[in-house]
Amino acid sequence: MKAFSLEKGDGFTTNILTGSRESYLKEGASAQINISNILPSDFDENLLDNVVWSSSDPSVASVDENGVVFGLDSGGLTIYNNKSVTITASVGGVSASITFSVRGDSVNRLVYAQKSGSDCVIKDFPRSYSYNFSPSRINASNVHWGVSYDDGSRPWEASWSSTSGNTENSVASVDSNGTVSGVGAGTTSLYLFGRTGLTSIDGSYAEAVKEIEVIEIEPKSITLTPPQKSEYIEGDSQLDLTGMEVKLTYNREDIAKYYGEEYANSLTEDQLTVHVSDYTVSEINNNILDSTQIYSCYRYKSGKNV
């Protein structure tokens, strides 16, 4: 493929009151951007399966993997309020762009929620996610985060009245500020919710869902501070672990593989060492008396001991 162009498809509209014949996208509406005029005419059609779409301002209009655009923010309620945005498609090193306006359409409700952040979370290195609701002129309240249940079901009911929901499963947990901590290796869905209005009648709500993967990387070393108590008598069945600490130290290069070199290089040596509490300690063997016993401390990583 040597060249192509983009053109507006279904979903764009015109209005003579704008003073222009140019079609535009209504705030809160979706439309199609089409790839056309492809050269040469005998191009490999499989290339169209690998189109990369992007928006010059995702807060004004978003675009998905199929070239469907969604009007997010015109800057106001009327058609005289408008913001310009450029959509670009790239195919095999060749790119084309198209610019259009998103205009107001008397939208007085939330139409979209977006959250941004990493696609993966390293266990022991939490990641924070940010969000915004569109249109930006409408303030969202009761914003909360959640993760799906282990069976994949939603953390809360999809309704305006949602107040909170599930915040931890076997893969990850999320706090009220959108900070995600890994629990175990796997994938899960991270949810965001926000609403407006005093009731479901005069209000609206918007949600966003993002699939994230929790990664467990191998520590380069484990440091164990033994518990204070080391002497036990016959009949004792429980270890007193008061004072025990387990620390894992990680390689900076392993973290950079998932979070990037900039983040990894910003970590101090102390930050590469993490206190952990999800470990298992072997039990007292009451069949062995008057002798020293060695107790093992395990931390499970993806089904194996470390």
Side-chain angles (χ1 to χ4, degrees):
M1 187 180 296
K2 295 182 178 180
F4 64 89
S5 60
L6 300 181
E7 62 181 24
K8 300 171 185 174
D10 293 340
F12 288 90
T13 189
T14 58
N15 191 318
I16 59 173
L17 294 179
T18 65
S20 171
R21 294 183 179 181
E22 281 291 320
S23 60
Y24 62 89
L25 179 62
K26 292 181 180 179
E27 183 181 74
S30 61
Q32 180 69 52
I33 300 292
N34 296 319
I35 294 178
S36 60
N37 304 319
I38 302 174
L39 295 175
S41 58
D42 59 346
F43 71 96
D44 182 0
E45 293 189 3
N46 291 325
L47 290 172
L48 296 180
D49 294 331
N50 298 291
V51 182
V52 178
W53 295 88
S54 62
S55 170
S56 63
D57 191 342
S59 69
V60 175
S62 64
V63 60
D64 69 10
E65 66 275 11
N66 298 310
V68 176
V69 290
F70 192 77
L72 300 178
D73 197 342
S74 65
L77 292 172
T78 74
I79 59 172
Y80 303 109
N81 299 111
N82 71 94
K83 291 183 179 181
S84 179
V85 65
T86 298
I87 301 299
T88 300
S90 299
V91 185
V94 180
S95 298
S97 299
I98 187 169
T99 300
F100 57 86
S101 293
V102 175
R103 290 185 176 273
D105 190 41
S106 301
V107 173
N108 198 23
R109 68 186 189 282
L110 292 178
V111 299
Y112 198 69
Q114 291 177 306
K115 57 176 175 289
S116 58
S118 175
D119 290 333
C120 67
V121 175
I122 301 174
K123 185 175 180 179
D124 297 328
F125 292 89
R127 292 293 268 176
S128 294
Y129 290 77
S130 59
Y131 67 86
N132 65 277
F133 290 92
S134 300
S136 59
R137 65 181 179 273
I138 300 177
N139 295 322
S141 62
N142 194 35
V143 175
H144 51 269
W145 298 84
V147 291
S148 58
Y149 287 95
D150 283 332
D151 63 3
S153 58
R154 299 170 50 89
W156 51 68
E157 182 182 352
S159 70
W160 178 91
S161 60
S162 171
T163 56
S164 63
N166 186 56
T167 58
E168 182 172 358
N169 56 31
S170 62
V171 174
S173 65
V174 60
D175 67 14
S176 59
N177 297 313
T179 298
V180 176
S181 300
V183 176
T187 58
T188 190
S189 295
L190 176 64
Y191 282 75
L192 168 70
F193 175 95
R195 74 183 184 201
T196 63
L198 299 176
T199 68
S200 60
I201 297 175
D202 71 344
S204 62
Y205 75 93
E207 291 182 307
V209 184
K210 180 182 181 68
E211 185 172 277
I212 58 173
E213 181 181 9
V214 172
I215 306 294
E216 294 187 53
I217 59 178
E218 199 86 45
K220 69 177 182 181
S221 65
I222 300 177
T223 303
L224 173 65
T225 300
Q228 298 170 1
K229 184 176 179 178
S230 60
E231 298 289 334
Y232 291 85
I233 62 174
E234 183 178 357
D236 285 343
S237 59
Q238 297 292 325
L239 287 172
D240 183 349
L241 301 180
T242 302
M244 180 173 169
E245 290 186 348
V246 178
K247 300 178 183 178
L248 305 182
T249 301
Y250 291 92
N251 283 306
R252 194 183 304 275
E253 295 77 13
D254 292 336
I255 297 172
K257 291 177 183 178
Y258 300 98
Y259 286 177
E261 291 187 0
E262 181 178 356
Y263 174 88
N265 291 334
S266 72
L267 297 174
T268 65
E269 292 299 321
D270 287 341
Q271 290 173 321
L272 291 172
T273 298
V274 181
H275 291 259
V276 299
S277 57
D278 55 337
Y279 53 79
T280 301
V281 180
S282 58
E283 299 177 349
I284 294 177
N285 186 347
N286 284 295
N287 294 320
I288 304 176
L289 301 175
D290 299 324
S291 63
T292 300
Q293 294 190 37
I294 298 176
Y295 302 101
S296 300
C297 177
Y298 302 95
R299 206 222 193 180
Y300 291 92
K301 169 188 174 292
S302 300
K304 65 178 182 179
N305 296 336
V306 294

